[in-house]
Amino acid sequence: MRIAILGAMPEEIEPLLEKLEKISRIDYADNSYYKAEYKGVELVIAYSKIGCAFSTLTATVLIEHFKCDRLLFSGVAGAINETLKIGDLIYANKLCKHDLDITAFGHPHGFVPEGQVYIYPDSDLITIAKEVAKEKGIDLKEGTIATGDQFISSSEKKEWIKTTFNADALEMEGYSVALVCDALNVPFFILRAISDSADSDASFDFDTFLEKSAKVSADFILEMVEKIAK
Ligand code: ADE
């Protein structure tokens, strides 16, 4: 088994690399990939750069070039659901793309012909995440994660995403990574720790809490790796 761990930003994978030994860097397709081992499990770790285009590329490379057969995403998100506070962990039980819009042709938001509004992560990986949370006494939330190529820092926009997609959190890579994994039949799991509330304070909060929240997510993902390999 070879597990890919993907983040969007350096801050999202640094807490992983810090914990691993015998890391080798491979430069490929304009990005750096880190091969490592954790408790006997082969890992390939990368950050994609922000947004759907870069994360699509990196997820594809991790699967097609590096032959990873599971993909775990670790990173941060903006909260939509009011019960989510900074530092809380949420995994996607489904993902959608909030800025995909051909409604001019009568289609619903987030839908294009032959596509799907919601993509669903692997149920076995979700079960493992729940086991880790239970064993470690971590309050792991679940919900719909909405992806788009926009940093959301407006209560109105956030409210629109909430009502249109019934979403609980938002970020900029989950759906595109999900789409690649789904199409290539690679089980995947998308985890996010809250860095901000996608409102007028979002950019300040994001800068303040990015590193801390990214570490919360990365630490959880490493706990999952151990269990997945068993
Ligand atoms: N990731 C973390 N916070 C975000 C926000 N407010 N908008 C988009 N992506 C995010």
Side-chain angles (χ1 to χ4, degrees), residues 19 30 32 36 73 102 112 118 131 154 163 185 211 218 223 229:
K19 284 199 174 169
D30 275 341
S32 294
F73 191 101
I102 56 163
V112 293
Y118 294 104
E131 284 170 14
S154 130
T163 50
N185 291 315
E211 275 182 43
E223 297 285 350

Side-chain angles (χ1 to χ4, degrees), residues 9 12 50 75-79 98 146 148-154 170-173 192-199 202-203 206 210:
M9 303 173 68
E12 289 172 328
I50 295 166
V76 300
H98 66 74
D149 281 309
Q150 300 161 353
F151 184 84
I152 305 295
S153 55
S154 130
L170 52 83
E171 36 84 310
M172 301 180 70
E173 298 83 18
R192 299 280 183 168
I194 299 301
S195 56
D196 59 85
S197 296
D199 55 13
S203 52
F206 181 90
L210 166 64

Side-chain angles (χ1 to χ4, degrees), residues 95-107:
L95 297 114
C96 59
K97 181 123 169 59
H98 66 74
D99 57 352
L100 186 57
D101 182 350
I102 56 163
T103 54
F105 297 92
H107 294 293

